Amino acid sequence: MAETKLSSFKDERWSLHGMTALVTGGTRGIGYAIAEELAEFGASVHICARKQEDVDKCLEEWKRKGFRITGSVCDVLSRDQRQNLMKNVASIFNGKLNILINNVGTSIPKNLIDYTAEDVSTIMGTNFESCYHLCQLAYPLLKASGYGSIVFISSIAGLKAFPLSSIYASSKGAMNQFTKNVALEWAKDNIRANAVAPGPIKTVLLDSFMVCMLC
Ligand SMILES: NC(=O)c1ccc[n+]([C@@H]2O[C@H](COP(=O)([O-])OP(=O)(O)OC[C@H]3O[C@@H](n4cnc5c(N)ncnc54)[C@H](OP(=O)(O)O)[C@@H]3O)[C@@H](O)[C@H]2O)c1
């Protein structure tokens, strides 16, 4: 049966016309689907990922479909690149951001005993530290929009224990708690924070995890 997208319900209550959104990691998988869905609801969307050619390819596809989506290269593991990303976003959206989707995530599936210090820094830096820093950077823009919403793409692994995912799971557990603190601190600024915890979704990330499970 054909998939029914939420945006096919044209009820004005769900319209995002006039809204601006940043989706990290929007060139494939869950981030790609979120960017497209937000654009279908009428939002102006900016995405980022690490490879210029992937960003360009996606922007070309979306242009053909008539969506207002821009994009730039950013490795969210880099503090400098996160700062540049938010400068870009501020300039494109005139200093106002309604929606921040912290979607980028990575995993290095291993047994607990085998993790190196570098693995831990990569996973925590990509999945958790980047989110907290992007929230800090986005704060003035979210506040200026008058109606801000942050969505963290967490995981069921942040709630239940699965094999080969102790550090990934911990990064998502930290994200779940951080979401509550952001919601508490920024409610006064009309900024909401929510986490979504998907189960398995067939993407490149899941495929790489499944390969390790079968090794
Ligand atoms: N798929 C699942 O089963 C599942 C389940 C629960 C939760 N999730 C969560 O959902 C989110 C998206 O996962 P996905 O399955 O859609 O992953 P994916 O298919 O691997 O896509 C990840 C996206 O993020 C980008 N990206 C990765 N590392 C980046 C970095 N350091 N800086 C900037 N961009 C980066 C990728 O592009 P480049 O690599 O080219 O930069 C790509 O656009 C993650 O947070 C993941 O933990 C996924």
Side-chain angles (χ1 to χ4, degrees), residues 2-15:
E3 172 199 4
T4 307
K5 286 187 161 187
L6 276 177
S7 52
S8 63
F9 299 105
K10 295 293 178 201
D11 191 314
E12 270 306 298
R13 276 179 303 176
W14 305 111
S15 169

Side-chain angles (χ1 to χ4, degrees), residues 28-30 201-208:
R28 61 171 191 263
I30 295 173
I201 296 180
K202 191 154 171 39
T203 65
V204 171
L205 185 72
L206 183 69
D207 285 348
S208 63

Side-chain angles (χ1 to χ4, degrees), residues 126-152:
T126 306
N127 296 5
F128 178 67
E129 191 191 335
S130 76
C131 297
Y132 112 78
H133 188 214
L134 285 171
C135 285
Q136 283 182 328
L137 294 169
Y139 175 67
L141 284 72
L142 291 161
K143 197 172 164 181
S145 76
Y147 173 81
S149 172
I150 302 171
V151 179
F152 296 90

Side-chain angles (χ1 to χ4, degrees), residues 15 17 48 81 92 95 104 112 114 128 143 145 165 167 174 176:
S15 169
H17 282 281
C48 74
Q81 291 188 36
I92 293 165
V104 168
L112 169 55
D114 296 326
F128 178 67
K143 197 172 164 181
S145 76
S165 52
I167 308 302
N176 292 346

Side-chain angles (χ1 to χ4, degrees), residues 25 27-28 30 50 74-76 103 154 168 172 199 201 203:
T27 54
R28 61 171 191 263
I30 295 173
R50 287 170 296 184
C74 170
D75 182 345
V76 301
N103 166 70
S154 177
Y168 174 80
K172 298 298 187 179
I201 296 180
T203 65

Side-chain angles (χ1 to χ4, degrees), residues 38-108:
L38 289 173
E40 281 189 37
F41 274 112
S44 298
V45 180
H46 190 86
I47 59 133
C48 74
R50 287 170 296 184
K51 295 188 204 95
Q52 186 71 59
E53 72 257 36
D54 290 352
V55 171
D56 291 345
K57 186 171 155 274
C58 291
L59 297 188
E60 215 23 72
E61 282 167 20
W62 285 321
K63 195 172 163 196
R64 276 199 301 276
K65 292 179 182 174
F67 297 138
R68 276 181 306 228
I69 306 186
T70 54
S72 54
V73 168
C74 170
D75 182 345
V76 301
L77 197 50
S78 153
R79 195 173 174 85
D80 289 351
Q81 291 188 36
R82 294 193 292 254
Q83 279 162 339
N84 279 340
L85 171 67
M86 208 54 77
K87 267 191 211 148
N88 260 338
V89 167
S91 148
I92 293 165
F93 295 149
N94 297 318
K96 291 182 184 170
L97 183 67
N98 295 101
I99 301 164
L100 168 63
I101 313 279
N102 277 310
N103 166 70
V104 168
T106 194
S107 178
I108 305 173

